[in-house]
Amino acid sequence: MIYTGGTIGMKQDPDTLALVPFNFNQIQEEVPELRKFGCTIDSYSFNPVIDSSDVVPSFWIELAEIISINYSKYDGFVVLHGTDTMSYSASALSFMLEDLEKPVVFTGSQLPIGMLRTDGKENLISSIEIAAAQDANGRAMVPEVCIYFESYLYRGNRTTKYNAENFRAFRSANYPVLAEVGIHIKFNTSFIRYPKEWGRPLRVNKGIDTRVGVLKIFPGITPQVMDAVIDTPGIRAVIIETFGSGNAPTSEWFVKSIKRAVGKGLIVLNVTQCQAGSVDMDAYATGVALKKEGVVSGYDSTFEAALTKLFFLLGQSNDNDIVRQRLAHSVKGEISI
Ligand code: ASP
């Protein structure tokens, strides 16, 4: 159990009523149920713990290293993480952990674990059960980076935080849940990703290149806004967040800007602003124009997965053409092709 920070590990200071992180070594006191598990649970706490709004790529590397160093000692890992950027971290780790054969289950909560109505206890307890679950051959039931939240287990790189208040905070709109927790834990084995070959050692891909710009398209967007992103010094790629199935304005200046971006060698990756469904640049003339200029499809990727996939692929190669080709394939089940 790796505690990185976030609401789950906080409790109310009885004097000030403010939320403060509790000493994670005392987790057994907060969650006495942990003693009932028939397995050994060790815990590790980041120091300092962080609000997940402060997550940066070096944090992902640290987290991946902790998992890698301890990999052979444990059957699975539960990462306690703030919910705000949990989908980014789970997506990033899915690309960074190569040949993963053990569960890495991210979880957190909307209410601190020390509060009466907390959702944190159930989230934590079920996450541990899932991280420890093995089949008859002693292999992990879910050898993936996933997020467990409020009765559902999701593939991490398919999730988005979509609700800031509800206990059901996450959604995986374009991919089925990997498990449902009720009286029993029902694993949807046909949707879980298994290693092609078991027994390979875990490798950590630490190369992350963050030279990416993001351009959200909106009615009324101006050339100045476009140019500010496209001309950001040093960037190698731009994610354009488009309408519907990957559509954008057809005005001459807009198409010219896109052409200029591609002509400069930038990777322009098209991700839809919609929560569900896929980019299809053949569906409308507006999308066809983008495809013609060399824009790459993000398919049904979440924004979080598209961004971290770019970070990862750019970190693997200095050649943007190679990255463009690799974007068209699923690396860790993040797109449905
Ligand atoms: N701001 C917190 C975080 O993401 C919220 C949470 O933990 O749910 O770290």
Side-chain angles (χ1 to χ4, degrees):
M1 190 160 61
I2 304 167
Y3 177 52
T4 69
T7 301
I8 191 166
M10 306 220 164
K11 67 180 188 186
Q12 221 160 19
D13 182 302
D15 300 325
T16 63
L17 299 184
L19 290 178
V20 287
F22 72 84
N23 178 354
F24 205 71
N25 296 328
Q26 292 159 8
I27 179 78
Q28 302 260 7
E29 276 166 41
E30 292 303 324
V31 194
E33 292 88 341
L34 292 180
R35 294 199 186 94
K36 293 190 186 166
F37 272 101
C39 57
T40 309
I41 305 165
D42 291 334
S43 63
Y44 174 92
S45 180
F46 269 58
N47 186 13
V49 293
I50 55 167
D51 185 292
S52 76
S53 302
D54 284 324
V55 159
V56 286
S58 57
F59 163 89
W60 297 330
I61 294 174
E62 192 179 341
L63 181 56
E65 275 174 344
I66 291 165
I67 292 170
S68 160
I69 290 165
N70 292 285
Y71 194 66
S72 59
K73 284 194 246 159
Y74 299 100
D75 294 324
F77 299 84
V78 172
V79 180
L80 302 179
H81 190 292
T83 55
D84 290 348
T85 62
M86 193 186 290
S87 293
Y88 289 90
S89 292
S91 298
L93 268 282
S94 77
F95 299 120
M96 293 168 71
L97 298 175
E98 205 63 63
D99 293 323
L100 182 69
E101 297 187 347
K102 297 182 180 183
V104 174
V105 185
F106 280 73
T107 196
S109 66
Q110 295 281 59
L111 280 178
I113 209 151
M115 279 175 97
L116 207 51
R117 283 197 311 107
T118 185
D119 52 331
K121 278 196 185 182
E122 196 284 318
N123 285 347
L124 174 58
I125 289 165
S126 295
S127 294
I128 294 172
E129 274 209 58
I130 290 165
Q134 295 184 336
D135 66 13
N137 299 316
R139 287 172 173 163
M141 289 299 290
V142 193
E144 289 206 38
V145 177
C146 25
I147 289 186
Y148 177 77
F149 223 86
E150 191 66 8
S151 304
Y152 291 112
L153 183 72
Y154 310 96
R155 174 169 297 159
N157 60 31
R158 291 292 195 150
T159 60
T160 299
K161 180 177 179 183
Y162 82 103
N163 199 315
E165 291 178 15
N166 205 285
F167 283 162
R168 181 139 307 144
F170 290 89
R171 187 182 269 173
S172 166
N174 285 332
Y175 198 75
V177 295
L178 303 183
E180 265 173 76
V181 175
I183 291 179
H184 304 289
I185 300 183
K186 279 197 232 149
F187 291 98
N188 293 331
T189 47
S190 46
F191 296 112
I192 294 171
R193 219 170 161 265
Y194 300 99
K196 279 202 193 90
E197 195 190 306
W198 292 85
R200 291 198 188 175
L202 177 79
R203 282 181 298 122
V204 179
N205 296 310
K206 292 185 204 158
I208 295 179
D209 186 339
T210 60
R211 287 178 289 171
V212 178
V214 177
L215 183 70
K216 184 164 186 155
I217 309 298
F218 54 91
I221 190 169
T222 59
Q224 291 79 2
V225 171
M226 286 280 287
D227 291 347
V229 178
I230 290 169
D231 294 326
T232 306
I235 54 166
R236 292 178 62 193
V238 175
I239 298 177
I240 49 167
E241 286 193 89
T242 53
F243 306 126
S245 52
N247 305 313
T250 48
S251 48
E252 207 186 317
W253 72 263
F254 183 89
V255 177
K256 262 196 187 154
S257 284
I258 294 288
K259 196 178 181 144
R260 189 168 73 79
V262 176
K264 277 172 70 158
L266 293 180
I267 297 163
V268 182
L269 179 63
N270 187 350
V271 174
T272 175
Q273 292 175 21
C274 291
Q275 294 292 304
S278 181
V279 165
D280 175 2
M281 288 192 284
D282 295 315
Y284 294 90
T286 49
V288 171
L290 296 180
K291 190 175 171 184
K292 194 172 144 250
E293 297 309 337
V295 171
V296 181
S297 177
Y299 302 95
D300 60 346
S301 177
T302 61
F303 174 76
E304 293 87 334
L307 182 81
T308 52
K309 182 177 180 177
L310 260 177
F311 284 180
F312 161 71
L313 292 179
L314 293 172
Q316 301 285 303
S317 172
N318 289 326
D319 184 339
N320 275 10
D321 286 333
I322 292 178
V323 174
R324 253 186 224 105
Q325 285 162 21
R326 293 191 66 194
L327 281 166
H329 301 277
S330 158
V331 177
K332 292 290 171 61
E334 72 287 353
I335 48 175
S336 309
I337 53 167

